[in-house]
Amino acid sequence: MFFASDNWAGVHPDISANLSRHAADTAVAYGDGDLDRAVYRRFNEIFEREVQVFFVATGTAANALSMAGLNRIGGIVLCHSEAHMNVDEFGAMGSYTGGARTAPVPGPLGRMNPEALDRAISRYSQDLAPAGQPMAVTLTQATEVGTVYSVDDVKAIAEVSRRHKLPLHMDGARFANAIAATGVSPAEMTWKSGVDLISFGGTKNGCWMADAVVILNPDVGKELRLLRQRAGQTFSKARFISAQFEAYFTDDLWLRMGGHANQMAAHLAETIEDAPGGRLAWLPQANEVFAILNRETAEKLRTAGAKFHEWGVPSGFDGHLGDNEAIYRFVASFATATEEIERLGKLLA
């Protein structure tokens, strides 16, 4: 019963097999080999336009390098108050940019409110005032609390960003889950709705270690190749990242894995809602489920081997917590099995 994180899951066998298939090859290093170039072309096909792809080791590196590519003196990045960049990345963005910082924007259940974003940006003068300069807006898709921005939501954020002449970044660590949940194309979810660049994650969705910064708008991030080199994120044997992405995209494996994780999360949510020992904090939209349990029940589940985390109360939560209750996060992955959920349900019952 491993629900602590999709990072805990293993690797899809097709991805492992493709790594093994390329292991004996020799290839041009540093991302200039034939396989690398084929994968770049595959990204073009997925996003329906020519894009630039920069492999990195982690989602945190992707986010921090994206911001470094958009950096301004005294830079301010507008993000949701509970965004990963704001609360979970240990100041990586500030380190990569030489001092840029985040300005949190509220919004219910992980999604920025466009009006609040507009007000937050407007607080800063557009000249070199001591408060700093807004330099970018970033949104997380799917969000840190398992919700998803619709295309219209993304367009509303993009409209505010464009009006203030700010590039829009998407943290897509769980992008596959969001696309599987909404059924729209990657292009429609990103550049067709106003997104300029995306941190594209595969690690949480069945890869060994495969993340990338994808530049969708050629007018932004022009020095990213140099910034990546300076940050130590340029892989010498980049073909092993490409090998993962090659298998990841074959026959839409990435969407099938994301869809499976979402389906398992929906099954888990139903199981929790139907059991007398718990209830949902809010409805999940992707692969993360948030439940309200009393602490004795949570401890009982942990003693029986279930892995999950206690979670803070997010902004926009309109439920009720009893004196001995807390919110707990359960995450499904491509590898989650029905049997794990059924076992958890029996414990809750």
PDB file of all heavy atoms in Angstrom, residues 3 6 14 21-22 43 52 59 67 71 73 93 109 120 124 135 142 157 170 172 188 215 262 272 316-318:
ATOM      1  N   PHE A   3       1.331   4.719  -1.090  1.00  0.00           N
ATOM      2  CA  PHE A   3       0.644   5.919  -1.549  1.00  0.00           C
ATOM      3  C   PHE A   3       1.372   7.194  -1.122  1.00  0.00           C
ATOM      4  O   PHE A   3       0.786   8.274  -1.148  1.00  0.00           O
ATOM      5  CB  PHE A   3      -0.791   5.942  -1.010  1.00  0.00           C
ATOM      6  CG  PHE A   3      -1.598   4.717  -1.352  1.00  0.00           C
ATOM      7  CD1 PHE A   3      -1.938   3.790  -0.381  1.00  0.00           C
ATOM      8  CD2 PHE A   3      -2.004   4.485  -2.654  1.00  0.00           C
ATOM      9  CE1 PHE A   3      -2.686   2.660  -0.686  1.00  0.00           C
ATOM     10  CE2 PHE A   3      -2.750   3.363  -2.987  1.00  0.00           C
ATOM     11  CZ  PHE A   3      -3.095   2.445  -1.996  1.00  0.00           C
ATOM     12  N   ASP A   6       4.201   9.374  -6.028  1.00  0.00           N
ATOM     13  CA  ASP A   6       4.495   8.713  -7.293  1.00  0.00           C
ATOM     14  C   ASP A   6       5.999   8.629  -7.541  1.00  0.00           C
ATOM     15  O   ASP A   6       6.450   7.864  -8.403  1.00  0.00           O
ATOM     16  CB  ASP A   6       3.773   9.389  -8.463  1.00  0.00           C
ATOM     17  CG  ASP A   6       3.649  10.898  -8.318  1.00  0.00           C
ATOM     18  OD1 ASP A   6       4.307  11.475  -7.439  1.00  0.00           O
ATOM     19  OD2 ASP A   6       2.858  11.505  -9.065  1.00  0.00           O
ATOM     20  N   ASP A  14       8.785  -1.170 -20.235  1.00  0.00           N
ATOM     21  CA  ASP A  14       9.143  -0.740 -21.594  1.00  0.00           C
ATOM     22  C   ASP A  14      10.272   0.287 -21.570  1.00  0.00           C
ATOM     23  O   ASP A  14      11.123   0.314 -22.478  1.00  0.00           O
ATOM     24  CB  ASP A  14       7.926  -0.128 -22.297  1.00  0.00           C
ATOM     25  CG  ASP A  14       6.880  -1.167 -22.668  1.00  0.00           C
ATOM     26  OD1 ASP A  14       7.088  -2.364 -22.375  1.00  0.00           O
ATOM     27  OD2 ASP A  14       5.834  -0.774 -23.231  1.00  0.00           O
ATOM     28  N   ARG A  21      18.349  -1.614 -24.311  1.00  0.00           N
ATOM     29  CA  ARG A  21      18.557  -1.728 -25.757  1.00  0.00           C
ATOM     30  C   ARG A  21      19.624  -0.761 -26.249  1.00  0.00           C
ATOM     31  O   ARG A  21      20.395  -1.066 -27.172  1.00  0.00           O
ATOM     32  CB  ARG A  21      17.234  -1.467 -26.479  1.00  0.00           C
ATOM     33  CG  ARG A  21      17.276  -1.719 -27.982  1.00  0.00           C
ATOM     34  CD  ARG A  21      15.869  -1.743 -28.562  1.00  0.00           C
ATOM     35  NE  ARG A  21      15.239  -0.432 -28.552  1.00  0.00           N
ATOM     36  CZ  ARG A  21      15.377   0.457 -29.530  1.00  0.00           C
ATOM     37  NH1 ARG A  21      16.150   0.187 -30.575  1.00  0.00           N
ATOM     38  NH2 ARG A  21      14.761   1.616 -29.470  1.00  0.00           N
ATOM     39  N   HIS A  22      19.695   0.417 -25.620  1.00  0.00           N
ATOM     40  CA  HIS A  22      20.672   1.423 -26.047  1.00  0.00           C
ATOM     41  C   HIS A  22      21.977   1.371 -25.247  1.00  0.00           C
ATOM     42  O   HIS A  22      22.893   2.146 -25.535  1.00  0.00           O
ATOM     43  CB  HIS A  22      20.063   2.821 -25.921  1.00  0.00           C
ATOM     44  CG  HIS A  22      19.008   3.120 -26.939  1.00  0.00           C
ATOM     45  ND1 HIS A  22      19.306   3.434 -28.244  1.00  0.00           N
ATOM     46  CD2 HIS A  22      17.645   3.123 -26.860  1.00  0.00           C
ATOM     47  CE1 HIS A  22      18.181   3.646 -28.917  1.00  0.00           C
ATOM     48  NE2 HIS A  22      17.161   3.464 -28.097  1.00  0.00           N
ATOM     49  N   PHE A  43       9.145  15.528 -29.519  1.00  0.00           N
ATOM     50  CA  PHE A  43       8.579  16.626 -28.728  1.00  0.00           C
ATOM     51  C   PHE A  43       7.883  17.632 -29.652  1.00  0.00           C
ATOM     52  O   PHE A  43       6.807  18.153 -29.313  1.00  0.00           O
ATOM     53  CB  PHE A  43       9.673  17.325 -27.922  1.00  0.00           C
ATOM     54  CG  PHE A  43       9.910  16.756 -26.552  1.00  0.00           C
ATOM     55  CD1 PHE A  43      10.930  15.842 -26.327  1.00  0.00           C
ATOM     56  CD2 PHE A  43       9.133  17.141 -25.468  1.00  0.00           C
ATOM     57  CE1 PHE A  43      11.159  15.322 -25.056  1.00  0.00           C
ATOM     58  CE2 PHE A  43       9.342  16.636 -24.197  1.00  0.00           C
ATOM     59  CZ  PHE A  43      10.366  15.712 -23.991  1.00  0.00           C
ATOM     60  N   GLN A  52      12.273  23.814 -28.303  1.00  0.00           N
ATOM     61  CA  GLN A  52      13.618  23.501 -27.843  1.00  0.00           C
ATOM     62  C   GLN A  52      13.509  22.674 -26.569  1.00  0.00           C
ATOM     63  O   GLN A  52      12.711  22.991 -25.676  1.00  0.00           O
ATOM     64  CB  GLN A  52      14.408  24.774 -27.554  1.00  0.00           C
ATOM     65  CG  GLN A  52      14.778  25.568 -28.792  1.00  0.00           C
ATOM     66  CD  GLN A  52      15.558  26.813 -28.404  1.00  0.00           C
ATOM     67  OE1 GLN A  52      14.987  27.813 -27.989  1.00  0.00           O
ATOM     68  NE2 GLN A  52      16.864  26.737 -28.523  1.00  0.00           N
ATOM     69  N   GLY A  59      12.851  17.757 -11.538  1.00  0.00           N
ATOM     70  CA  GLY A  59      11.863  18.792 -11.738  1.00  0.00           C
ATOM     71  C   GLY A  59      12.260  20.104 -11.106  1.00  0.00           C
ATOM     72  O   GLY A  59      11.964  21.185 -11.639  1.00  0.00           O
ATOM     73  N   MET A  67      13.344  29.606 -14.625  1.00  0.00           N
ATOM     74  CA  MET A  67      13.330  30.957 -14.072  1.00  0.00           C
ATOM     75  C   MET A  67      14.646  31.688 -14.347  1.00  0.00           C
ATOM     76  O   MET A  67      14.661  32.896 -14.595  1.00  0.00           O
ATOM     77  CB  MET A  67      13.045  30.912 -12.573  1.00  0.00           C
ATOM     78  CG  MET A  67      11.665  30.385 -12.207  1.00  0.00           C
ATOM     79  SD  MET A  67      10.291  31.295 -12.987  1.00  0.00           S
ATOM     80  CE  MET A  67       9.843  30.135 -14.302  1.00  0.00           C
ATOM     81  N   ASN A  71      15.156  35.478 -16.051  1.00  0.00           N
ATOM     82  CA  ASN A  71      15.544  36.317 -14.921  1.00  0.00           C
ATOM     83  C   ASN A  71      15.682  37.796 -15.291  1.00  0.00           C
ATOM     84  O   ASN A  71      16.062  38.149 -16.417  1.00  0.00           O
ATOM     85  CB  ASN A  71      16.869  35.813 -14.362  1.00  0.00           C
ATOM     86  CG  ASN A  71      17.186  36.386 -13.004  1.00  0.00           C
ATOM     87  OD1 ASN A  71      16.297  36.769 -12.262  1.00  0.00           O
ATOM     88  ND2 ASN A  71      18.462  36.425 -12.669  1.00  0.00           N
ATOM     89  N   ILE A  73      16.884  41.642 -13.105  1.00  0.00           N
ATOM     90  CA  ILE A  73      17.472  42.181 -11.879  1.00  0.00           C
ATOM     91  C   ILE A  73      16.350  42.463 -10.880  1.00  0.00           C
ATOM     92  O   ILE A  73      15.356  43.104 -11.205  1.00  0.00           O
ATOM     93  CB  ILE A  73      18.266  43.464 -12.176  1.00  0.00           C
ATOM     94  CG1 ILE A  73      19.447  43.149 -13.103  1.00  0.00           C
ATOM     95  CG2 ILE A  73      18.762  44.096 -10.878  1.00  0.00           C
ATOM     96  CD1 ILE A  73      20.167  44.375 -13.605  1.00  0.00           C
ATOM     97  N   MET A  93      15.453  28.130  -6.993  1.00  0.00           N
ATOM     98  CA  MET A  93      15.243  29.179  -7.978  1.00  0.00           C
ATOM     99  C   MET A  93      16.072  30.411  -7.636  1.00  0.00           C
ATOM    100  O   MET A  93      16.716  31.006  -8.503  1.00  0.00           O
ATOM    101  CB  MET A  93      13.757  29.519  -8.057  1.00  0.00           C
ATOM    102  CG  MET A  93      13.386  30.495  -9.157  1.00  0.00           C
ATOM    103  SD  MET A  93      13.495  32.230  -8.676  1.00  0.00           S
ATOM    104  CE  MET A  93      12.151  32.321  -7.497  1.00  0.00           C
ATOM    105  N   LEU A 109      -7.668  25.784  -3.530  1.00  0.00           N
ATOM    106  CA  LEU A 109      -7.223  24.420  -3.823  1.00  0.00           C
ATOM    107  C   LEU A 109      -6.172  24.357  -4.931  1.00  0.00           C
ATOM    108  O   LEU A 109      -6.312  23.653  -5.924  1.00  0.00           O
ATOM    109  CB  LEU A 109      -8.422  23.545  -4.170  1.00  0.00           C
ATOM    110  CG  LEU A 109      -9.450  23.363  -3.040  1.00  0.00           C
ATOM    111  CD1 LEU A 109     -10.599  22.478  -3.499  1.00  0.00           C
ATOM    112  CD2 LEU A 109      -8.790  22.783  -1.792  1.00  0.00           C
ATOM    113  N   ALA A 120      -1.616  41.231  -7.504  1.00  0.00           N
ATOM    114  CA  ALA A 120      -0.262  40.992  -6.993  1.00  0.00           C
ATOM    115  C   ALA A 120       0.784  41.621  -7.904  1.00  0.00           C
ATOM    116  O   ALA A 120       1.748  42.240  -7.437  1.00  0.00           O
ATOM    117  CB  ALA A 120      -0.022  39.491  -6.853  1.00  0.00           C
ATOM    118  N   TYR A 124       3.687  45.982  -7.850  1.00  0.00           N
ATOM    119  CA  TYR A 124       5.083  46.305  -8.154  1.00  0.00           C
ATOM    120  C   TYR A 124       5.146  47.348  -9.255  1.00  0.00           C
ATOM    121  O   TYR A 124       4.466  47.250 -10.275  1.00  0.00           O
ATOM    122  CB  TYR A 124       5.844  45.056  -8.600  1.00  0.00           C
ATOM    123  CG  TYR A 124       5.928  43.996  -7.533  1.00  0.00           C
ATOM    124  CD1 TYR A 124       4.990  42.970  -7.487  1.00  0.00           C
ATOM    125  CD2 TYR A 124       6.936  44.029  -6.567  1.00  0.00           C
ATOM    126  CE1 TYR A 124       5.057  41.992  -6.503  1.00  0.00           C
ATOM    127  CE2 TYR A 124       7.005  43.057  -5.582  1.00  0.00           C
ATOM    128  CZ  TYR A 124       6.066  42.046  -5.565  1.00  0.00           C
ATOM    129  OH  TYR A 124       6.131  41.074  -4.579  1.00  0.00           O
ATOM    130  N   MET A 135       8.989  39.241 -13.088  1.00  0.00           N
ATOM    131  CA  MET A 135       9.723  38.706 -14.233  1.00  0.00           C
ATOM    132  C   MET A 135       9.025  37.529 -14.900  1.00  0.00           C
ATOM    133  O   MET A 135       9.307  37.214 -16.053  1.00  0.00           O
ATOM    134  CB  MET A 135      11.136  38.284 -13.820  1.00  0.00           C
ATOM    135  CG  MET A 135      11.188  37.073 -12.911  1.00  0.00           C
ATOM    136  SD  MET A 135      12.857  36.713 -12.349  1.00  0.00           S
ATOM    137  CE  MET A 135      12.904  34.928 -12.569  1.00  0.00           C
ATOM    138  N   ALA A 142      -0.531  19.122 -13.062  1.00  0.00           N
ATOM    139  CA  ALA A 142      -1.582  19.292 -12.092  1.00  0.00           C
ATOM    140  C   ALA A 142      -1.030  19.930 -10.811  1.00  0.00           C
ATOM    141  O   ALA A 142       0.179  19.906 -10.568  1.00  0.00           O
ATOM    142  CB  ALA A 142      -2.218  17.934 -11.768  1.00  0.00           C
ATOM    143  N   ILE A 157      -5.154  32.959 -16.810  1.00  0.00           N
ATOM    144  CA  ILE A 157      -3.857  33.318 -16.223  1.00  0.00           C
ATOM    145  C   ILE A 157      -2.959  33.947 -17.285  1.00  0.00           C
ATOM    146  O   ILE A 157      -2.277  34.957 -17.046  1.00  0.00           O
ATOM    147  CB  ILE A 157      -3.182  32.081 -15.610  1.00  0.00           C
ATOM    148  CG1 ILE A 157      -4.022  31.512 -14.448  1.00  0.00           C
ATOM    149  CG2 ILE A 157      -1.765  32.406 -15.153  1.00  0.00           C
ATOM    150  CD1 ILE A 157      -4.107  32.399 -13.243  1.00  0.00           C
ATOM    151  N   MET A 170       4.886  26.835 -17.015  1.00  0.00           N
ATOM    152  CA  MET A 170       4.065  25.780 -16.419  1.00  0.00           C
ATOM    153  C   MET A 170       4.973  24.737 -15.783  1.00  0.00           C
ATOM    154  O   MET A 170       5.883  24.207 -16.436  1.00  0.00           O
ATOM    155  CB  MET A 170       3.179  25.121 -17.480  1.00  0.00           C
ATOM    156  CG  MET A 170       2.312  23.986 -16.945  1.00  0.00           C
ATOM    157  SD  MET A 170       1.184  23.307 -18.224  1.00  0.00           S
ATOM    158  CE  MET A 170      -0.086  24.594 -18.246  1.00  0.00           C
ATOM    159  N   GLY A 172       5.151  21.286 -15.031  1.00  0.00           N
ATOM    160  CA  GLY A 172       4.441  20.097 -15.480  1.00  0.00           C
ATOM    161  C   GLY A 172       5.027  18.817 -14.933  1.00  0.00           C
ATOM    162  O   GLY A 172       5.145  17.823 -15.676  1.00  0.00           O
ATOM    163  N   GLU A 188      -2.760  22.441 -26.898  1.00  0.00           N
ATOM    164  CA  GLU A 188      -3.876  23.261 -26.436  1.00  0.00           C
ATOM    165  C   GLU A 188      -3.695  23.665 -24.984  1.00  0.00           C
ATOM    166  O   GLU A 188      -4.036  24.791 -24.591  1.00  0.00           O
ATOM    167  CB  GLU A 188      -5.191  22.496 -26.609  1.00  0.00           C
ATOM    168  CG  GLU A 188      -6.434  23.329 -26.331  1.00  0.00           C
ATOM    169  CD  GLU A 188      -6.655  24.440 -27.338  1.00  0.00           C
ATOM    170  OE1 GLU A 188      -6.201  24.312 -28.497  1.00  0.00           O
ATOM    171  OE2 GLU A 188      -7.283  25.448 -26.971  1.00  0.00           O
ATOM    172  N   ILE A 215      11.050  24.775 -24.319  1.00  0.00           N
ATOM    173  CA  ILE A 215      10.779  26.152 -24.716  1.00  0.00           C
ATOM    174  C   ILE A 215       9.768  26.126 -25.855  1.00  0.00           C
ATOM    175  O   ILE A 215      10.028  25.606 -26.942  1.00  0.00           O
ATOM    176  CB  ILE A 215      12.066  26.869 -25.178  1.00  0.00           C
ATOM    177  CG1 ILE A 215      13.142  26.832 -24.088  1.00  0.00           C
ATOM    178  CG2 ILE A 215      11.747  28.304 -25.586  1.00  0.00           C
ATOM    179  CD1 ILE A 215      12.823  27.625 -22.871  1.00  0.00           C
ATOM    180  N   ASN A 262      -4.518   8.178 -12.621  1.00  0.00           N
ATOM    181  CA  ASN A 262      -5.744   8.924 -12.328  1.00  0.00           C
ATOM    182  C   ASN A 262      -6.902   7.992 -11.982  1.00  0.00           C
ATOM    183  O   ASN A 262      -7.685   8.265 -11.065  1.00  0.00           O
ATOM    184  CB  ASN A 262      -6.132   9.789 -13.529  1.00  0.00           C
ATOM    185  CG  ASN A 262      -5.153  10.920 -13.801  1.00  0.00           C
ATOM    186  OD1 ASN A 262      -4.224  11.149 -13.036  1.00  0.00           O
ATOM    187  ND2 ASN A 262      -5.368  11.616 -14.899  1.00  0.00           N
ATOM    188  N   ILE A 272     -12.301   5.471  -0.044  1.00  0.00           N
ATOM    189  CA  ILE A 272     -12.249   6.268   1.181  1.00  0.00           C
ATOM    190  C   ILE A 272     -13.617   6.843   1.510  1.00  0.00           C
ATOM    191  O   ILE A 272     -14.057   6.826   2.659  1.00  0.00           O
ATOM    192  CB  ILE A 272     -11.192   7.386   1.035  1.00  0.00           C
ATOM    193  CG1 ILE A 272      -9.788   6.785   0.976  1.00  0.00           C
ATOM    194  CG2 ILE A 272     -11.299   8.397   2.177  1.00  0.00           C
ATOM    195  CD1 ILE A 272      -8.707   7.762   0.586  1.00  0.00           C
ATOM    196  N   GLY A 316      -8.522  27.780   0.568  1.00  0.00           N
ATOM    197  CA  GLY A 316      -9.723  27.406  -0.153  1.00  0.00           C
ATOM    198  C   GLY A 316     -10.410  26.169   0.381  1.00  0.00           C
ATOM    199  O   GLY A 316     -11.484  25.808  -0.105  1.00  0.00           O
ATOM    200  N   PHE A 317      -9.832  25.514   1.388  1.00  0.00           N
ATOM    201  CA  PHE A 317     -10.478  24.342   1.978  1.00  0.00           C
ATOM    202  C   PHE A 317     -11.683  24.814   2.779  1.00  0.00           C
ATOM    203  O   PHE A 317     -11.571  25.646   3.681  1.00  0.00           O
ATOM    204  CB  PHE A 317      -9.489  23.610   2.886  1.00  0.00           C
ATOM    205  CG  PHE A 317     -10.109  22.497   3.692  1.00  0.00           C
ATOM    206  CD1 PHE A 317     -10.637  21.380   3.078  1.00  0.00           C
ATOM    207  CD2 PHE A 317     -10.167  22.580   5.076  1.00  0.00           C
ATOM    208  CE1 PHE A 317     -11.205  20.351   3.813  1.00  0.00           C
ATOM    209  CE2 PHE A 317     -10.723  21.559   5.828  1.00  0.00           C
ATOM    210  CZ  PHE A 317     -11.249  20.445   5.196  1.00  0.00           C
ATOM    211  N   ASP A 318     -12.845  24.277   2.447  1.00  0.00           N
ATOM    212  CA  ASP A 318     -14.063  24.729   3.112  1.00  0.00           C
ATOM    213  C   ASP A 318     -14.719  23.622   3.935  1.00  0.00           C
ATOM    214  O   ASP A 318     -15.880  23.714   4.307  1.00  0.00           O
ATOM    215  CB  ASP A 318     -15.070  25.284   2.101  1.00  0.00           C
ATOM    216  CG  ASP A 318     -15.456  24.253   1.035  1.00  0.00           C
ATOM    217  OD1 ASP A 318     -14.977  23.101   1.118  1.00  0.00           O
ATOM    218  OD2 ASP A 318     -16.243  24.595   0.133  1.00  0.00           O
TER     219      ASP A 318
END
